[in-house]
Amino acid sequence: MTGRSLLSKISLGFAVFLLVSPAILFFVWMLSLSLKYEIDNGAYPPILIPAPDMIAWENYTNVFSSSNFIKFFWNSVIVTGSATLFALVVGVPAGYGIARMKATKAAVVVLIARVTPALSYLIPLFLIFQWLGLMGTLWPQIITHLVITVPVVIWVMIGFFETTPMELEEAATIDGANGWEVFRHVALPIAKPGIAVALILSFIFSWNNFVFGIVLAGRETRTLPVAVYNMLSFEQVSWGPLSAAALIVTLPVLLLTILAQRQIVAGLTAGAVKGG
Amino acid sequence: MSDRSRLSRRDVLAGSVAAGALALSGARPAQAQAMNWKKFSGEKIEVTLVKSPRADILEKGLPEFEAMTGIKVGFEQIPEQQARQKQIIELTSGQPSFDVIHESFHVQKRLFEKSGWVADLDGFMKDASITSPETAESDFSAAGLMFAKNQQGHLRALPQSVDYWVIYYNKEIFDKAGVKYPDTFPELFAAAEKLTNPSANQFGFVARGLKNANVPVYTSFLLGYGVDPVNAKGELMTDSKEGVEAAKDYQRILSKCAPPGVVGFNWSECQSAFMQGRVAMWLDGIGFAPPLEDKTKSRVAGKVGYGLMPKGPVARASATFGDGISIPAASKKKEAAWLFTQWACSKQQGRNLITTGSGVPFRNSVVQDASIRGELKMPVGWLDVVAESAKVSKLGLPVIVPVTEFRDTIGIGLTNLLSGGDPAAEMKKATDTFRPVLEKSEKA
Amino acid sequence: MSVETGSALSGAAAAGSSARASGKSIERTAKDYWPFVLPALIIVSSVILFPWLFTIWMSLNEWKLGGSIHFAGLSNYAKLFTDERFRDAVWQTIYYTVLATGLPLVIGTFAAVIFHEKFPLRGVLRGLYIMPMMATPVAIALVWVMMFHPQLGVLNYLLSLVGIPPQLWVFSPKTVIPSLALIETWQWSPLVMLIVLGGLASLPTEPYESAMIDGATRWQMFHKITLPLIMPFIMVALILRVIDALKSFDIIFAITQGGPGNASETLNIYLYNTAFPYRDMGYGSALAVVFFIIVIGLSLVMLWMRQRNKWDEQGADA
């Protein structure tokens, strides 16, 4: 009996190792690239840890000093922050409404937004933003990011509201509360964990978006993923600075993942199962 | 880019900026009556250039320009692909957000001219109040002016830098094997084959195999047969007898002597392999040299030879590409932009380019100035090959509107060669596919 | 939302399901909830509706950016039928989607079963496992390029340690799509894991207890009890994966741009190449419309299938 459980423990451990090691390997290697000069980054056999005098801390300091990184970081925060908050404001009630009324057509529109290839938005949106005189501001990006964040929020919230019990709402209705009061005082407080998940997910997907930024961002309005891609210089390989920048960009999201993994797990599963 | 190289470049710049200020102040009295650099003081222009060492140099020199003119400059560098896409979208919209743009002559020249996107600079050239005497056409090389003028001879850009294709070679590998740098195509193949030793992870030759990027490699061979990709009558020559021979050369050297996977290599994979000492020869543009000599990046620093493209059966030719600076026709600050354009293509900036190895200006007076040897941060071999290549320079890509489709379509044919395709069949197929695109675009 | 999407497709079944639903909440009708939904609906449709109308209109015109616009009727669509590159792109999209859906499904389900067990540090390890899904795709792609380098890359080095000869990864037309799918698998198996994990959490314990008494092996239990029960969850994961794999852009664009040759040019990349580098907005828009129809059609079919399964189960329950 104990023999079998020991064996299963070992095989379980091995399976966990197999699953986790590609992720660990990748991020360790990324860290390693970011701390080396190109001469070591291209070396074969590969060098994992450079000699002490060959550690390229400057890959990091350069990222901050050279390319307006702080500004881009701030742009990312504003674009992602606004798009996420706004998506919560309209998306949470929408998720509630759709879940309660089983609104077929509304759900289809949200689905279409999720399914549409982002590329097809670019030209028309560029033209309309220019017509509105919004180019050169962060608005075009905030508005287009809504296409990402609103469906994510609705998606998670539908799933969440479908699982919350109806009895309390029914009781409140019988007590004479109107639809808004029921939502505000009964449904919303229960939905807090769901909102947290919607916030985290919409933040992550918006933060990582690259396609919109290529066309809609200018020098002053660039967000971080675009800025990282812009580290790619012609005629010079630059894996070190690139990896350093990439790590800095993903760091907020990675930290969020580790810190909030329990909530993400809970919310994603609930949302996906019910929302699909 | 690592900080070490940046530091050294900064040092160079500190010196050259000082020299530049002197040169400019020295030049001023002669033209003081007419040219007034401060005429548009207080204006703000937006400059969007393609990310490259050349744009880096301009970016570092910006304070100097702003001090000299009082013009505020919003400056950004974007990677090539994105920049081209952004330019097209914004220029199409008729209200571009930039007043100065980078123009890759070899890709965008005809498109920009035909679409009427770039301003005619002839008027500015004649206006002595906003044109420095230094900007005179006479100092720009013939190739540069050919790039910068449209078919009617109107100036649509200022030529900034020229790119010759050369062969970087690893002197250590050559010496060890007792091989001499090749002078003809057959010698090139022989040397490449001799220096290939896959079991030691050493390869004789590398160049771009990735579709689109690989076309200049092919044209480097094609030009050796005395043939341009599109002849004077506008006919495609890629499936001619010479076109097929060049394809055979391309196939031969890249399948036999290049590292496995070369079909997916762009310049960066080639550069990495060369810098790690894995390949004996690398055919690419002259602008890729500085990192090779940077000890934080390259294992072959100090061992790099700079070789002229070997002679083909008919001619010796170095495939040539060029970049310029132009002003969108829709810009509302064209005059201020014109001042920036002149500064960016000035003698001093040209000097900064060549002495750091970041590029080669189209200016005769700079390239022929013997004193740059003293300031050169690159081995003299580099400068020598620049001078030699200039003598055999030939356009590496046809001057047509659909350059990207040309490169993609012919590039696919070349890619197929590397997996054993028949040169005659592949070139015919690619050429036939592209021909209607070209005809349609010329008719439009 | 899929519940409703499905019911839109199958009126009769929908009537049945809404009757069941209304039996539960009689107090409010659908009308009362419209104010909640409307703002979001207006925003989403205004941001996506205009681009769509524009794209459809453009697809009926011949327009090269920088040139003039001519009405061209359906000629852009007609061109699709003779376009070899389009045909290749369709096949490559299918190939890519099959791999980038199948592998994450298998590995993600396996991971869910593993992470459903209790063991020390489970939370942290699970967090590590889902990191690839959260990291910025463009940033990730650039690092993968270097890791794939056939002569200098760390992947071939690791293979050499266990005696496997070097691979060409994304540097060969033959292996480029599987290699890209590998990245996609690495990145998105965690999402499958999370979805299936939710399913595992909701499983009843009784069938296992009785199976244990019957002396069933672990595999038998998984195969006969767990798998059928979590099938609906795997279906959800399948739908999400198919949609995302079809649309995949960042990774392919940043790593191969569709190469070597056109070997990894999927529809989305071809669409990009046509619309931007070739400036052919008319044809590019026609591609976008066709691509959109494919994606929407596929998702609706899958949602409908899933719905049917669900109703069958509900029917059985009743």
Side-chain angles (χ1 to χ4, degrees):
Chain A
M1 200 62 192
T2 46
R4 188 180 162 185
S5 85
L6 185 68
L7 189 70
S8 69
K9 263 184 196 162
I10 290 172
S11 52
L12 180 71
F14 185 67
V16 172
F17 170 79
L18 271 186
L19 287 171
V20 178
S21 56
I24 295 180
L25 179 82
F26 178 87
F27 288 103
V28 166
W29 188 244
M30 193 168 166
L31 182 69
S32 165
L33 284 176
S34 75
L35 287 171
K36 291 181 298 196
Y37 291 102
E38 297 314 321
I39 191 167
D40 287 343
N41 276 337
Y44 194 91
I47 296 168
L48 179 63
I49 302 165
D53 62 323
M54 287 296 280
I55 296 179
W57 296 112
E58 61 210 55
N59 287 342
Y60 283 90
T61 52
N62 277 354
V63 168
F64 286 105
S65 64
S66 66
S67 57
N68 255 337
F69 218 77
I70 304 292
K71 177 157 189 103
F72 300 148
F73 190 86
W74 189 233
N75 286 342
S76 264
V77 170
I78 291 181
V79 169
T80 296
S82 319
T84 301
L85 285 182
F86 198 71
L88 287 179
V89 170
V90 299
V92 174
Y96 173 74
I98 293 174
R100 289 291 174 265
M101 74 198 256
K102 313 206 172 269
T104 312
K105 280 165 197 134
V108 170
V109 172
V110 177
L111 178 78
I112 289 176
R114 180 168 162 74
V115 166
T116 306
L119 277 174
S120 50
Y121 297 124
L122 284 177
I123 294 246
L125 283 181
F126 177 84
L127 294 175
I128 201 169
F129 286 131
Q130 198 171 47
W131 181 66
L132 293 170
L134 291 175
M135 290 308 293
T137 69
L138 288 172
W139 284 107
Q141 292 185 79
I142 295 175
I143 294 170
T144 42
H145 276 233
L146 288 177
V147 180
I148 309 164
T149 55
V150 173
V152 168
V153 171
I154 298 182
W155 178 56
V156 172
M157 293 320 294
I158 293 176
F160 204 86
F161 283 117
E162 278 182 347
T163 56
T164 54
M166 290 288 292
E167 287 78 12
L168 279 175
E169 288 178 35
E170 280 161 9
T173 311
I174 290 163
D175 289 350
N178 66 26
W180 174 252
E181 286 164 346
V182 171
F183 171 69
R184 173 71 190 79
H185 298 293
V186 182
L188 206 55
I190 303 175
K192 266 185 193 152
I195 295 173
V197 175
L199 184 138
I200 292 166
L201 286 183
S202 117
F203 182 89
I204 288 169
F205 287 126
S206 163
W207 185 268
N208 286 344
N209 179 276
F210 169 64
V211 181
F212 294 138
I214 310 180
V215 172
L216 298 176
R219 174 172 51 85
E220 296 291 328
T221 55
R222 207 171 276 159
T223 54
L224 279 182
V226 184
V228 169
Y229 200 70
N230 280 7
M231 304 286 293
L232 273 181
S233 179
F234 190 55
E235 297 178 343
Q236 308 248 6
V237 287
S238 45
W239 301 109
L242 210 62
S243 306
L247 258 183
I248 294 171
V249 171
T250 31
L251 203 62
V253 184
L254 291 185
L255 283 179
L256 203 62
T257 311
I258 301 281
L259 292 176
Q261 62 91 15
R262 202 176 298 274
Q263 285 82 350
I264 293 174
V265 170
L268 254 187
T269 50
V273 173
K274 296 295 174 186
Chain B
M1 195 183 316
S2 81
D3 209 32
R4 286 186 204 180
S5 70
R6 181 161 285 175
L7 266 181
S8 65
R9 183 173 294 159
R10 207 175 280 154
D11 295 343
V12 174
L13 278 166
S16 54
V17 165
L22 274 176
L24 283 166
S25 57
R28 209 167 288 159
Q31 38 148 341
Q33 317 87 323
M35 169 73 170
N36 177 13
W37 282 99
K38 289 262 190 223
K39 190 169 176 185
F40 303 99
S41 181
E43 280 202 25
K44 183 161 194 312
I45 56 169
E46 294 292 331
V47 177
T48 302
L49 300 184
V50 167
K51 192 162 171 69
S52 73
R54 290 172 288 288
D56 282 340
I57 286 191
L58 292 181
E59 185 165 13
K60 302 227 173 75
L62 273 186
E64 177 204 335
F65 174 77
E66 292 186 331
M68 180 172 79
T69 59
I71 296 171
K72 289 288 290 171
V73 180
F75 190 94
E76 74 170 333
Q77 298 188 39
I78 314 181
E80 192 178 55
Q81 258 185 328
Q82 271 165 270
R84 285 182 189 161
Q85 176 188 324
K86 201 175 161 70
Q87 282 174 351
I88 287 174
I89 294 178
E90 298 209 6
L91 290 168
T92 302
S93 77
Q95 305 168 38
S97 62
F98 33 70
D99 306 293
V100 175
I101 48 172
H102 171 270
E103 176 176 346
S104 295
F105 289 130
H106 47 278
V107 176
Q108 299 165 313
K109 172 182 161 62
R110 288 278 281 153
L111 170 66
F112 279 18
E113 289 168 2
K114 275 190 103 170
S115 313
W117 281 338
V118 283
D120 195 333
L121 304 178
D122 285 343
F124 295 146
M125 276 301 248
K126 288 185 197 118
D127 184 349
S129 73
I130 53 168
T131 301
S132 158
E134 198 197 277
T135 312
E137 274 187 23
S138 56
D139 193 34
F140 290 99
S141 70
L145 289 174
M146 207 169 75
F147 271 137
K149 287 182 173 177
N150 68 5
Q151 280 170 317
Q152 288 75 41
H154 298 301
L155 198 66
R156 289 301 173 94
L158 279 188
Q160 185 199 13
S161 69
V162 57
D163 187 24
Y164 302 116
W165 274 43
V166 300
I167 292 183
Y168 301 104
Y169 64 99
N170 186 323
K171 286 196 261 190
E172 204 174 52
I173 296 179
F174 270 77
D175 290 348
K176 218 181 259 171
V179 176
K180 203 166 89 336
Y181 180 76
D183 189 53
T184 61
F185 281 10
E187 283 177 36
L188 172 67
F189 301 135
E193 276 159 30
K194 187 158 182 208
L195 296 174
T196 300
N197 182 3
S199 59
N201 211 352
Q202 179 187 303
F203 300 90
F205 185 89
V206 74
R208 309 170 184 185
L210 194 68
K211 118 185 138 172
N212 185 306
N214 56 7
V215 171
V217 181
Y218 165 71
T219 55
S220 291
F221 287 108
L222 182 61
L223 294 169
Y225 289 86
V227 167
D228 293 315
V230 174
N231 71 8
K233 287 185 215 141
E235 294 161 343
L236 283 163
M237 297 302 282
T238 40
D239 59 349
S240 65
K241 197 170 118 273
E242 294 85 355
V244 173
E245 285 304 312
K248 282 184 193 159
D249 291 341
Y250 180 88
Q251 182 181 41
R252 175 175 177 187
I253 198 159
L254 281 186
S255 351
K256 272 197 195 163
C257 311
V262 73
V263 67
F265 278 26
N266 203 341
W267 60 266
S268 105
E269 286 79 19
C270 297
Q271 191 176 43
S272 294
F274 185 81
M275 290 200 302
Q276 291 292 333
R278 301 278 167 194
V279 283
M281 289 181 274
W282 171 34
L283 172 64
D284 215 309
I286 188 93
F288 292 92
L292 307 183
E293 299 289 353
D294 180 338
K295 284 195 163 28
T296 67
K297 295 183 173 163
S298 166
R299 271 178 219 287
V300 297
K303 302 174 200 162
V304 183
Y306 298 89
L308 184 62
M309 182 70 194
K311 187 173 175 307
V314 177
R316 187 194 297 277
S318 168
T320 302
F321 309 87
D323 294 297
I325 309 275
S326 46
I327 302 171
S331 161
K332 293 188 180 65
K333 295 159 186 164
K334 289 205 253 308
E335 287 83 2
W338 170 239
L339 294 190
F340 181 89
T341 307
Q342 291 181 69
W343 172 77
C345 302
S346 65
K347 286 185 193 173
Q348 184 53 50
Q349 292 306 327
R351 204 179 170 91
N352 293 347
L353 280 188
I354 198 164
T355 51
T356 51
S358 317
V360 179
F362 276 110
R363 283 184 171 273
N364 296 327
S365 66
V366 177
V367 180
Q368 287 156 11
D369 184 348
S371 73
I372 56 174
R373 287 191 174 252
E375 290 171 30
L376 195 65
K377 297 292 153 186
M378 296 294 295
V380 282
W382 181 82
L383 198 58
D384 291 338
V385 84
V386 168
E388 288 166 32
S389 299
K391 289 182 208 148
V392 294
S393 144
K394 285 282 242 170
L395 295 193
L397 285 169
V399 182
I400 52 178
V401 173
V403 179
T404 309
E405 288 99 314
F406 173 77
R407 292 178 69 163
D408 275 3
T409 319
I410 304 296
I412 293 284
L414 296 172
T415 301
N416 294 343
L417 294 182
L418 296 187
S419 45
D422 171 58
E426 290 296 341
M427 294 320 285
K428 177 154 184 3
K429 185 174 170 219
T431 310
D432 287 345
T433 311
F434 178 67
R435 193 171 286 120
V437 179
L438 179 63
E439 278 163 8
K440 200 168 174 188
S441 114
E442 293 303 304
K443 249 187 265 157
Chain C
M1 69 184 152
S2 56
V3 177
E4 294 72 37
T5 317
S7 52
L9 287 163
S10 174
S17 103
S18 64
R20 265 200 301 279
S22 58
K24 271 185 185 173
S25 58
I26 23 163
E27 281 80 7
R28 290 189 195 284
T29 59
K31 218 169 55 188
D32 300 322
Y33 291 104
W34 270 111
F36 291 99
V37 183
L38 221 52
L41 209 56
I42 290 170
I43 286 168
V44 172
S45 36
S46 60
V47 181
I48 65 170
L49 203 64
F50 171 71
W52 268 111
L53 293 176
F54 193 89
T55 305
I56 291 169
W57 175 73
M58 280 196 297
S59 76
L60 301 174
N61 284 277
E62 195 179 304
W63 182 25
K64 276 226 166 189
L65 287 176
S68 51
I69 305 179
H70 308 280
F71 185 75
L74 293 172
S75 68
N76 283 321
Y77 291 95
K79 204 170 135 192
L80 286 171
F81 290 99
T82 54
D83 185 352
E84 248 180 78
R85 203 164 151 189
F86 171 70
R87 217 158 41 214
D88 289 347
V90 170
W91 282 119
Q92 279 146 10
T93 308
I94 294 172
Y95 183 25
Y96 182 82
T97 304
V98 167
L99 286 181
T101 303
L103 290 173
L105 278 184
V106 172
I107 294 175
T109 307
F110 174 69
V113 172
I114 296 296
F115 282 112
H116 188 57
E117 304 276 324
K118 286 199 169 56
F119 52 87
L121 288 178
R122 183 176 68 160
V124 176
L125 289 166
R126 202 171 50 187
L128 286 173
Y129 182 68
I130 58 178
M131 269 188 356
M133 164 184 145
M134 303 299 181
T136 310
V138 179
I140 285 176
L142 296 172
V143 175
W144 277 104
V145 177
M146 187 61 198
M147 294 174 70
F148 278 139
H149 195 295
Q151 282 81 45
L152 310 172
V154 69
L155 288 184
N156 275 346
Y157 175 73
L158 291 175
L159 289 188
S160 75
L161 292 182
V162 288
I164 299 174
Q167 302 296 310
L168 294 178
W169 306 106
V170 295
F171 294 93
S172 152
K174 287 198 192 77
T175 51
V176 60
I177 288 188
S179 303
L180 290 169
L182 214 59
I183 302 182
E184 187 108 1
T185 304
W186 172 82
Q187 211 186 347
W188 292 111
S189 297
L191 184 68
V192 178
M193 185 274 278
L194 291 172
I195 294 168
V196 177
L197 206 55
L200 290 171
S202 67
L203 291 185
T205 50
E206 303 87 36
Y208 293 95
E209 282 158 9
S210 52
M212 207 98 101
I213 294 164
D214 292 347
T217 65
R218 279 184 150 217
W219 171 248
Q220 282 170 331
M221 283 199 279
F222 176 77
H223 186 68
K224 298 272 186 230
I225 307 173
T226 312
L227 206 56
L229 284 172
I230 58 172
M231 218 43 197
F233 297 85
I234 296 179
M235 277 300 285
V236 171
L238 172 83
I239 293 166
L240 288 180
R241 275 310 311 147
V242 169
I243 293 175
D244 287 344
L246 283 171
K247 289 182 8 174
S248 181
F249 179 80
D250 292 12
I251 294 274
I252 306 177
F253 177 76
I255 294 183
T256 67
Q257 286 137 42
N262 283 335
S264 63
E265 188 174 72
T266 58
L267 277 173
N268 219 6
I269 302 280
Y270 185 38
L271 167 68
Y272 170 86
N273 278 335
T274 308
F276 297 107
Y278 301 169
R279 315 176 331 278
D280 194 341
M281 288 313 299
Y283 193 48
S285 300
L287 280 170
V289 171
V290 170
F291 182 42
F292 179 70
I293 292 171
I294 294 174
V295 178
I296 277 279
L298 255 177
S299 352
L300 289 180
V301 166
M302 287 186 302
L303 286 172
W304 176 70
M305 272 165 46
R306 170 174 171 241
Q307 240 21 80
R308 237 183 26 173
N309 283 344
K310 238 187 192 167
W311 287 320
D312 288 349
E313 285 159 30
Q314 281 169 356
D317 289 347

